[in-house]
Amino acid sequence: MARKWWQDEVIYQIYPKSFRDSNGDGIGDIRGITEKLDYLEDLGVTMLWICPIYQSPMDDNGYDVSDYMALAPEFGDMDDLDELIREADKRNIKIMMDLVINHSSDEHEWFQKALEDPESRYHDYYIFKEGNERPNNWRSIFGGSVWEKVPGRDEYYYHTFGKKQPDLNWENEELRKVLFDMVNWWLDRGIAGFRIDAISFIKKDLTWSDREPDGVDRLAKCTKATRNMPGIGEFLTELKEETFARHRCVTVAEAAGVPYEKMGEFIGENGYFDMIFDFRYADLDIASGSEWFKRLPWTVKELEEKIMASQMIMQKYGWPANFIENHDQPRAASKYLKEAQDNKDAVKMMGAMYFFLRGVPFIYQGQELGMVNFERTSMEQFNDLSSIDQYQRSLEEGLSGEEALRIVNLRSRDNARTPFPWNAEKYGGFTEGTPWLNMTEEYPRINAEAQKGKEGSIYEFYKEMIAFRQHGPYSRTLIEGNIEPVRSGEDVISYRRFTEEESIYCLFNFSGKERTETLPNTGMVPIWGNLEQTHMNGKTIKLQPYQAVLIKENE
Ligand code: NOJ
């Protein structure tokens, strides 16, 4: 694969509502991001992915866009965004926007006009079906039927996600053209590219036929009929040719469920996108089908197998976007390390494990501080519409209120959405007002001020790790090198990064106990790690609890 400029990036994801509030209304904003650019530059990241900042009623915190070419006033205006792009550029930081084109908000002018007048051109921008009962039994991602009745008419509209997120009808050529013009308009404004939301859902099964029910609600998960359906490639090719291919930009697809054998179509040399997120390893504890609410047990070996299977497929076809956290996932420290979530060595080890995989690393805000989940004690403390739905569905499945709350706590998207803790002061310096969502209880201890410039902190570790990948003596191998799995004991994840000239073994001990591994050769040299000492003797290495170490093979 020919080298691409964006392979060198380290991308930092910002959830704008929770990053930094510059005007005291309790909601983070664009100026807040600009204020914190020095922090991001110090950390060493090279691009920001900013979750949606478009005009929106915020039912799904911006993933419900009511005007694609205007910004949400609570986040700021176009001047603020231009200033952010300019100021970021001075620090060699690029800006990636979120692109939400599977659905809009029901408050979008198009949808409002479609409701007002079924004869209007906008009616066909969405998916309506006439009748006085639901056209089929598909369940939306956020629960309940995918169909919502149009008030006052014998008609239903379709939504893959929430009720206030009607799906756009990609079968309509005029709509596609309007979307493409909008995408080009943004790219012309100087943004570096897009993370593209829920893009595997744009093609539906046009027979709209019922599926086998898979829950007590007698509905069937809609993904079976709406995700990666035959024909999606035509839409995606057109999207690419009419927009991305005309600009120097980078695209990352949130395209869940793409079968591995189709990865080439998505991210191959002539793929629809540059990179893709693979959720298979992140979903390793999520049960599917009628037992969806269960949390599956998993082992370190299973995590390793899933990660490496993904890496090998991606290597065959293209380039992955690697992550352990985002705004839809629980905090990685809590999820993957469980009772060791407060162990700094463990948090650093986990960070390094995914960071040196082949691909572009994504860091979610607060991950660099080792932030943890926020256990809520009642449903009133949640904002996320998916958590509220999961609670209701758990009760319907027969779980007690206590069990339902436990499940929601483990999974909730609000775990990662708590406001960013800048310091130990009131509301962590996030806002001078009252934050829209509670801070985590740990913020007096886990915050940026307590870690930045402090030796041994998780922040300083991330900073050093980024610098080592970007500018260290082994940068070329760590960025461009190939990857292959390496056999190791049950609590250890290991892989090899290599070029023709250089070979680096990467070992990560997920256990709180010492673990002995055998290296392929004697005379190998440790080049980087999270602990001061590496205990090697001949071919034997005694990994200390939660040790991460990179070892170079001597030529
Ligand atoms: C995926 C986004 O990451 C999530 O936050 C959102 O709710 C859905 N897509 C719907 O847009």
Side-chain angles (χ1 to χ4, degrees):
M1 185 180 177
R3 180 140 190 209
K4 309 277 170 38
W5 63 270
W6 42 262
Q7 289 171 340
D8 285 8
E9 307 294 324
V10 173
I11 304 184
Y12 187 93
Q13 183 191 349
I14 291 191
Y15 199 65
K17 220 174 160 182
S18 295
F19 192 60
R20 160 74 187 145
D21 170 21
S22 72
N23 62 0
D25 64 1
I27 297 172
D29 45 46
I30 299 169
R31 285 183 168 205
I33 303 174
T34 310
E35 245 181 56
K36 297 298 181 186
L37 282 172
D38 289 342
Y39 170 89
L40 298 165
E41 183 186 23
D42 180 74
L43 182 59
V45 299
T46 61
M47 193 184 291
L48 308 180
W49 152 25
I50 304 180
C51 284
I53 48 176
Y54 311 100
Q55 187 179 294
S56 162
M58 298 287 161
D59 195 55
D60 191 16
N61 291 338
Y63 285 95
D64 45 330
V65 179
S66 56
D67 187 342
Y68 288 100
M69 279 146 97
L71 299 180
E74 55 269 58
F75 289 150
D77 59 23
M78 286 293 180
D79 289 342
D80 297 331
L81 182 59
D82 288 343
E83 186 191 20
L84 170 64
I85 296 174
R86 246 188 351 260
E87 287 299 316
D89 187 53
K90 284 187 195 159
R91 296 162 176 85
N92 287 321
I93 297 177
K94 307 171 192 73
I95 304 291
M96 168 187 279
M97 302 264 288
D98 215 308
L99 184 63
V100 192
I101 49 178
N102 172 67
H103 46 271
S104 75
S105 160
D106 64 342
E107 296 184 28
H108 196 291
E109 190 188 10
W110 302 335
F111 192 73
Q112 288 302 314
K113 289 193 166 150
L115 285 186
E116 267 162 39
D117 176 9
E119 299 304 316
S120 96
R121 66 197 314 153
Y122 300 108
H123 193 258
D124 196 48
Y125 279 24
Y126 295 90
I127 302 167
F128 287 95
K129 296 274 170 231
E130 278 178 25
N132 49 20
E133 58 184 60
R134 286 175 177 152
N136 64 31
N137 70 346
W138 303 353
R139 182 192 306 109
S140 79
I141 304 285
F142 294 155
S145 169
V146 293
W147 299 102
E148 190 64 17
K149 176 117 175 33
V150 174
R153 273 210 303 267
D154 279 346
E155 197 179 34
Y156 286 79
Y157 71 85
Y158 176 91
H159 60 91
T160 300
F161 294 91
K163 287 186 185 112
K164 286 179 66 63
Q165 295 165 295
D167 280 46
L168 291 162
N169 178 19
W170 273 70
E171 306 293 333
N172 181 305
E173 200 181 330
E174 182 184 295
L175 163 83
R176 296 202 301 276
K177 166 118 192 13
V178 174
L179 291 178
F180 300 158
D181 287 348
M182 175 275 288
V183 170
N184 286 324
W185 183 82
W186 276 108
L187 288 168
D188 287 338
R189 287 190 73 92
I191 60 161
F194 286 110
R195 174 268 189 190
I196 303 151
D197 186 69
I199 198 68
S200 39
F201 286 94
I202 58 174
K203 179 85 190 180
K204 327 292 187 216
D205 167 9
L206 300 178
T207 69
W208 307 104
S209 51
D210 275 357
R211 293 293 196 274
E212 190 62 35
D214 57 19
V216 286
D217 56 7
R218 307 297 301 148
L219 299 176
K221 204 171 170 181
C222 69
T223 46
K224 295 167 194 156
T226 58
R227 208 169 66 175
N228 298 307
M229 295 313 280
I232 192 172
E234 282 154 41
F235 291 156
L236 295 178
T237 304
E238 198 184 41
L239 168 64
K240 176 187 162 187
E241 281 171 3
E242 297 297 320
T243 61
F244 314 139
R246 301 180 178 189
H247 302 260
R248 182 184 189 265
C249 69
V250 57
T251 55
V252 191
E254 194 220 19
V258 173
Y260 273 163
E261 62 278 11
K262 296 224 167 203
M263 244 355 137
E265 285 173 36
F266 277 74
I267 54 162
E269 200 57 51
N270 296 310
Y272 315 129
F273 305 104
D274 293 319
M275 289 182 270
I276 195 167
F277 294 112
D278 184 5
F279 293 95
R280 285 173 181 84
Y281 62 89
D283 286 346
L284 93 167
D285 63 344
I286 309 271
S288 56
S290 56
E291 305 250 276
W292 62 270
F293 48 84
K294 285 208 171 143
R295 194 168 191 243
L296 300 177
W298 55 272
T299 63
V300 171
K301 274 296 113 169
E302 282 160 357
L303 176 63
E304 180 183 58
E305 275 158 25
K306 282 194 188 292
I307 290 177
M308 290 317 295
S310 173
Q311 285 279 308
M312 296 318 282
I313 285 288
M314 299 292 181
Q315 177 161 272
K316 184 168 167 199
Y317 295 114
W319 207 257
N322 298 324
F323 69 99
I324 45 172
E325 286 187 14
N326 67 35
H327 64 293
D328 295 331
Q329 298 280 330
R331 289 289 182 180
S334 308
K335 172 169 168 152
Y336 297 106
L337 302 170
K338 299 175 189 161
E339 56 288 351
Q341 66 168 10
D342 292 322
N343 181 317
K344 272 202 274 176
D345 292 339
V347 176
K348 293 174 185 174
M349 180 280 299
M350 178 74 208
M353 187 280 292
Y354 96 101
F355 194 83
F356 291 113
L357 292 168
R358 180 180 168 278
V360 169
F362 281 66
I363 300 170
Y364 178 70
Q365 63 182 49
Q367 181 186 322
E368 77 279 17
L369 305 177
M371 285 183 77
V372 294
N373 278 355
F374 179 5
E375 194 160 335
R376 294 168 170 87
T377 50
S378 80
M379 279 314 289
E380 286 78 68
Q381 294 167 291
F382 288 89
N383 165 275
D384 170 26
L385 75 170
S386 149
S387 301
I388 295 162
D389 162 65
Q390 284 182 353
Y391 182 76
Q392 284 310 328
R393 279 181 66 208
S394 302
L395 296 182
E396 283 164 31
E397 296 280 357
L399 270 63
S400 69
E402 208 181 318
E403 284 167 329
L405 186 63
R406 194 183 69 84
I407 281 161
V408 174
N409 261 318
L410 285 173
R411 284 205 185 170
S412 176
R413 307 193 299 176
D414 281 342
N415 278 315
R417 296 179 179 184
T418 54
F420 192 99
W422 292 101
N423 54 44
E425 285 156 31
K426 196 172 178 202
Y427 300 136
F430 162 70
T431 180
E432 270 72 66
T434 309
W436 71 280
L437 190 69
N438 279 341
M439 312 287 302
T440 54
E441 280 158 22
E442 288 78 6
Y443 86 82
R445 187 169 56 83
I446 304 180
N447 64 65
E449 199 179 81
Q451 296 197 29
K452 189 163 172 272
K454 307 285 157 40
E455 211 188 310
S457 70
I458 296 171
Y459 174 90
E460 288 301 319
F461 175 81
Y462 264 82
K463 177 173 167 176
E464 193 197 308
M465 180 163 76
I466 295 169
F468 188 70
R469 176 191 190 263
Q470 301 300 92
H471 315 294
Y474 311 100
S475 191
R476 212 186 132 239
T477 306
L478 294 174
I479 295 177
E480 283 176 68
N482 281 347
I483 190 164
E484 70 176 17
V486 170
R487 275 171 75 99
S488 53
E490 60 177 19
D491 293 321
V492 176
I493 291 187
S494 54
Y495 52 81
R496 184 168 84 98
R497 297 294 312 276
F498 59 99
T499 59
E500 274 175 19
E501 295 86 45
E502 197 165 69
S503 174
I504 299 172
Y505 284 78
C506 310
L507 292 100
F508 307 94
N509 181 7
F510 272 70
S511 152
K513 303 213 169 68
E514 185 177 284
R515 291 286 178 251
T516 303
E517 292 293 330
T518 309
L519 298 168
N521 291 308
T522 52
M524 294 175 70
V525 226
I527 53 169
W528 189 85
N530 65 342
L531 303 181
E532 288 278 305
Q533 304 239 318
T534 307
H535 302 272
M536 285 166 61
N537 187 1
K539 285 189 182 180
T540 304
I541 177 164
K542 283 194 188 335
L543 292 171
Q544 299 308 293
Y546 302 117
Q547 181 162 23
V549 62
L550 270 52
I551 303 179
K552 183 169 139 3
E553 189 157 35
N554 270 341
E555 300 76 43

